[in-house]
Amino acid sequence: MESLQNLVLTTLDREQVIENSIALTLDGAPVDQLALLGALNALTSRDVIVYTPIDVETWVLTDEGTSIADTGSHEAKVFNSVPQGEEGISIAEVQKLLGEVAKFGQGKAFSNKWIKKNGNNLVRLTETIVDKTQLDLQQIRDTGSHSDAVTNDLKKRKLIEKRKSSSFKVEKGPKFTLNVEKEATDITQEMLKSGAWKTANFKKYNFTTAQGIAPVGGHVHPLLKVREEFRQIFFELGFSEMPTNRFVESSFWNFDALFQPQQHPARDAHDTFFLKDPATDDKLPADYLERVKNVHSKGGYGSIGYQYNWKIEEAQKLVLRTHTTAISSWMLYQLAQEKEFRPVKWFSIDRVFRNETVDATHLAEFHQIEGVIADRGITLGDLIGVLHGFFQKLGIEKLRFKPAYNPYTEPSMEIFSWHDGLGKWVEIGNSGMFRPEMLRPMGLPEDVSVIAWGLSLERPTMIKYGIDNIRELVGHKLDLDMVYKNPICRLDKKMGREG
Ligand code: PHE
């Protein structure tokens, strides 16, 4: 930078003006005009020089053009491969010698009347040739130009191409000097000590033309955009959010509290991720634990239970939660500990983990959306009504329910919605009324029922953003551009009557 500034100043001092900066050289090499622009701007800001840009179009040689300028044209090579005399050389021989070049050069060598065919041989028609193509290319390489006829022809043959280049006309400015004092960009300790800061020549802030660095903001992943929409729907319906920051959960809250027997296949290492270190949770509420043990092994509250030997060791095992219903059971237990029962409407949306084989629609982790309502005297009819209200907010009007089984709900219903595009009913969620075997041991009053439902967040997200392989949505194959460019999510929500 400094040497470029020096070059400009000394040249101006000597010649008054630099007509075209393209001619400048530094240590024998042409000056990079972009780097020069930096130096010119620095000098211009101090009125030492003024400059105007010159835009010129020049011709430059392509790789092939360069090779011809160096070693001759294809036609000249063909000519040179033909010996003097009547006999000449066989076409096959020339091909062997020159390969591809023979094919390209022959025609032109014929039309230039340099050689002719004699049977299967090529013979010379002249003793000397002028390789005009080579000479033209050399001229262009040296001067950047030639007559239009020549440049048009060479361009067609892809031997040259146009290049735009910017250079500058530079003249002295009102404060021209050979000794440009370096401007200070910082107040240093020395300046303060010596008082030099009072007279120092400070560089001006460039607030007007400096481009600055493009700020890299965060980008919200599509799953989180859709999650935000679901949160808003729950809030509009008067639900509050459960705290879901418990990715590691004890088997107790994930399974036992939900009346899921200890020998249930879902509690196998094939289906669930168990933790090694720490492997267990020993801070489970003792009296409640006892009631859960009893309801599993002996029954109670009108149930005969599962009639097996319930083991605390199994309940203490830590797992990556397999469903957000683990949060719901933990929250309902807290609710039951309050002095007086109060009705609640809760939801959660967060990540769960299952030891699954990964394919286009399954990963070992995904997100669940869960809604829970606890109140006195609510029924299956309430659940059906709430589900209609919830899915209507998403623009889904037609619902059907199919009896299903969950260890913790009775009755249980799979939720199906009519899919116009597919022309069939598709499963969109699972739901049910929590069993007394789950609620009574917690201490909830007998007339309190709890309805709940769950669905995945991935499925509506993939539909919304047109992604058909889950690995393009989550994981290392994810295209960051997809995350950057996708718009915020607006689900096709129907306004409620209040809307
Ligand atoms: N926990 C269930 C699942 O993992 C979903 C569910 C939630 C079912 C609440 C009923 C009630 O699929």
Side-chain angles (χ1 to χ4, degrees), residues 245-250 275 278 318-321 353:
N245 52 345
R246 298 161 61 99
F247 284 29
V248 173
E249 190 56 271
S250 65
L275 261 73
L318 286 172
V319 300
L320 292 183
R321 68 170 172 232
F353 305 85

Side-chain angles (χ1 to χ4, degrees), residues 258 322-326 328 354 366 368-372 406 408-409 412-413 429-434 451-455:
L258 287 159
T322 65
H323 53 182
T324 46
T325 318
S328 304
R354 290 187 192 171
F366 63 101
Q368 283 190 331
I369 303 168
E370 184 152 316
V372 179
N406 298 308
Y408 38 90
T409 53
S412 312
M413 303 188 304
N430 187 357
S431 68
M433 301 188 65
F434 285 137
I451 54 178
W453 69 100
L455 57 148

Side-chain angles (χ1 to χ4, degrees), residues 220-340:
V220 179
H221 188 275
L223 279 172
L224 299 186
K225 291 178 186 167
V226 178
R227 178 172 84 164
E228 192 47 32
E229 280 288 282
F230 274 100
R231 294 180 79 220
Q232 290 311 320
I233 289 171
F234 276 113
F235 288 141
E236 282 166 28
L237 292 169
F239 283 69
S240 46
E241 192 164 14
M242 293 185 266
T244 50
N245 52 345
R246 298 161 61 99
F247 284 29
V248 173
E249 190 56 271
S250 65
S251 291
F252 182 74
W253 293 114
N254 195 81
F255 296 122
D256 296 278
L258 287 159
F259 197 52
Q260 187 144 334
Q262 293 188 330
Q263 55 280 20
H264 191 282
R267 299 178 67 151
D268 198 73
H270 292 293
D271 293 300
T272 299
F273 292 112
F274 288 86
L275 261 73
K276 272 201 191 124
D277 187 15
T280 56
D281 174 8
D282 50 14
K283 285 188 211 62
L284 301 170
D287 52 338
Y288 174 48
L289 202 88
E290 199 55 31
R291 295 196 292 275
V292 169
K293 174 185 175 167
N294 281 336
V295 79
H296 277 246
S297 48
K298 297 204 252 339
Y301 321 98
S303 166
I304 61 160
Y306 293 117
Q307 305 287 323
Y308 72 102
N309 184 13
W310 186 88
K311 292 202 178 79
I312 184 161
E313 293 77 21
E314 201 58 47
Q316 285 175 334
K317 285 184 183 165
L318 286 172
V319 300
L320 292 183
R321 68 170 172 232
T322 65
H323 53 182
T324 46
T325 318
I327 300 289
S328 304
S329 68
W330 182 75
M331 286 290 286
L332 285 167
Y333 170 76
Q334 309 296 326
L335 180 73
Q337 307 319 301
E338 291 179 16
K339 254 203 206 110
E340 203 152 324

Side-chain angles (χ1 to χ4, degrees), residues 7-24:
L7 174 71
V8 169
L9 295 178
T10 50
T11 312
L12 279 179
D13 190 43
R14 200 172 54 238
E15 299 175 8
Q16 304 308 316
V17 56
I18 300 169
E19 286 297 344
N20 192 336
S21 62
I22 206 95
L24 289 177

